[in-house]
Amino acid sequence: MKKIYLCAISNIRSGACNEDCRFCTQSVRWGADINRYKEKSIETIVNEAKLAKNNRASGFCLVTSGKSLDEKTLEYVCSAAKAVLKEVDITLIACNGTADKESLKELKNAGIKIYNHNLETSREYYPKICSTHTWDERFQTCENIKSVGIRLCCGGIFGMGESNEDIQSFINSLKQLKPDGIPLNFFIENPKLPLKATHNKEFAMNIVTRFANEFKEAIIMLAGGREIVFGNEWTEALRAGANSIVIGDYLTAKGEKPDKDLEILIKEGFEIADEC
């Protein structure tokens, strides 16, 4: 029986970003019609963590929009993490942009076990999807994460017009980092974003198989865009090598209802992991 890891996301600061990432609705530059707010209340975050735990999630990710983990963001995320851990037994993940070692150490002391920072795509292709910060900054943050003893979750977004060579270059970079978890996101179009999706189910399935073969020790997660590329056949991707999914909503896009996903997983004979 294959074990599947479930992770839930809490977008605790939404749409407050000045970067020009062409794939992201949270950038203020594109004017996407999303819910924007500076800080979700700590009480709301704790309640969302309780709900995630009830839905069998073993990981709960605190996500903030914006380029980096600045001092104010660090204080907010640490406060949220401590509040959650007082009431919920769950593995906490943080996703707060580029970060230095000292800030990451503070997150670790607050109870953060995993930090998610995606490279998104290859070093070569990155300038075509973002100009306000570099791919190298992202890679350095990933190295910082590992150096302070936090587990690294690092993946990317596919179907943004990248070539097969870009995908291979991206894989080669991930091999240098050896992440514990690799989220596979498939680009979700928005009328305000300048990019158009270049993926389909066959493309997505090939990505899953490729990454599962290249990273046999890592957790391979079906993340954003799962419902779009696979539809009701997403468990095929689990049988092809993925072993984790995001349950519930994504950062700005709606996801499937967790109880429906759970029902399907159990019906098809998958085991739900108790911890990650």
Side-chain angles (χ1 to χ4, degrees), residues 16 20 22 32 61 114 118 127 133 137 142 156-157 161 182 191 195 207 230 233 245 252 254 267 271 273:
D20 70 351
R22 295 164 66 85
C61 189
I114 303 169
N118 294 334
H133 63 269
E137 291 178 71
C142 292
I157 306 174
I182 303 176
L195 292 180
I207 291 292
F230 296 113
E233 300 172 336
I245 65 169
T252 62
K254 296 294 290 183
K267 182 180 178 180
E271 178 185 353

Side-chain angles (χ1 to χ4, degrees), residues 42-55 57-60 80-92 111:
I42 299 295
E43 180 183 6
T44 299
I45 296 169
V46 171
N47 287 336
E48 288 182 1
K50 290 177 179 177
L51 180 61
K53 181 72 175 181
N54 289 338
N55 286 325
S58 53
F60 184 69
K82 291 173 182 176
V84 168
L85 292 176
K86 280 183 179 178
E87 299 192 44
V88 190
D89 180 19
I90 198 165
T91 298
L92 282 188

Side-chain angles (χ1 to χ4, degrees), residues 30-50:
W30 310 124
D33 184 17
I34 64 168
N35 191 16
R36 300 177 189 271
Y37 46 87
K38 289 186 177 180
E39 289 188 358
K40 187 177 284 184
S41 73
I42 299 295
E43 180 183 6
T44 299
I45 296 169
V46 171
N47 287 336
E48 288 182 1
K50 290 177 179 177

Side-chain angles (χ1 to χ4, degrees), residues 32-269:
D33 184 17
I34 64 168
N35 191 16
R36 300 177 189 271
Y37 46 87
K38 289 186 177 180
E39 289 188 358
K40 187 177 284 184
S41 73
I42 299 295
E43 180 183 6
T44 299
I45 296 169
V46 171
N47 287 336
E48 288 182 1
K50 290 177 179 177
L51 180 61
K53 181 72 175 181
N54 289 338
N55 286 325
R56 304 286 302 277
S58 53
F60 184 69
C61 189
L62 304 172
V63 187
T64 53
S65 64
K67 177 180 180 291
S68 62
L69 182 62
D70 56 29
E71 187 175 343
K72 185 177 181 180
T73 303
L74 177 61
E75 182 179 352
Y76 174 47
V77 176
C78 285
S79 296
K82 291 173 182 176
V84 168
L85 292 176
K86 280 183 179 178
E87 299 192 44
V88 190
D89 180 19
I90 198 165
T91 298
L92 282 188
I93 307 158
C95 181
N96 314 120
T98 54
D100 59 33
K101 293 180 182 180
E102 291 308 310
S103 298
L104 290 164
K105 287 177 182 176
E106 288 196 45
L107 284 183
K108 184 180 180 182
N109 290 336
I112 298 295
K113 300 295 184 184
I114 303 169
Y115 197 92
N116 174 215
H117 192 63
N118 294 334
L119 293 179
E120 307 299 15
T121 189
S122 70
R123 188 177 191 271
E124 296 81 8
Y125 193 66
Y126 196 78
K128 295 182 180 180
I129 59 171
C130 180
S131 69
T132 47
H133 63 269
T134 67
W135 183 94
D136 295 276
E137 291 178 71
R138 305 186 77 88
F139 192 88
Q140 182 61 58
T141 291
C142 292
E143 291 188 317
N144 292 345
I145 293 161
K146 298 201 71 174
S147 73
V148 302
I150 295 178
R151 288 153 60 192
L152 173 64
C153 183
C154 181
I157 306 174
F158 302 90
M160 298 188 292
E162 72 280 358
S163 66
N164 188 58
E165 289 75 20
D166 287 315
I167 295 171
Q168 187 57 54
S169 174
F170 174 54
I171 287 172
N172 293 342
S173 296
L174 281 185
K175 285 184 175 180
Q176 295 179 54
L177 293 170
K178 298 181 176 63
D180 296 282
I182 303 176
L184 304 180
N185 297 277
F186 299 96
F187 178 58
I188 300 173
E189 286 189 1
N190 182 285
K192 292 295 182 69
L193 294 179
L195 292 180
K196 297 299 179 184
T198 58
H199 54 55
N200 55 34
K201 182 187 172 185
E202 181 182 7
F203 170 87
M205 192 66 74
N206 286 337
I207 291 292
V208 171
T209 302
R210 191 168 175 179
F211 275 75
N213 288 336
E214 294 279 6
F215 300 95
K216 296 185 184 299
E217 302 302 316
I219 293 176
I220 306 296
M221 175 184 287
L222 301 179
R226 163 170 65 99
E227 297 84 355
I228 294 173
V229 293
F230 296 113
N232 293 328
E233 300 172 336
W234 55 270
T235 55
E236 290 182 23
L238 298 181
R239 301 191 192 284
N243 58 354
S244 176
I245 65 169
V246 173
I247 60 169
D249 294 336
Y250 301 101
L251 294 178
T252 62
K254 296 294 290 183
E256 187 54 80
K257 291 182 178 180
D259 56 349
K260 182 178 178 182
D261 282 341
L262 276 170
E263 182 182 352
I264 291 171
L265 288 169
I266 294 168
K267 182 180 178 180
E268 298 207 14

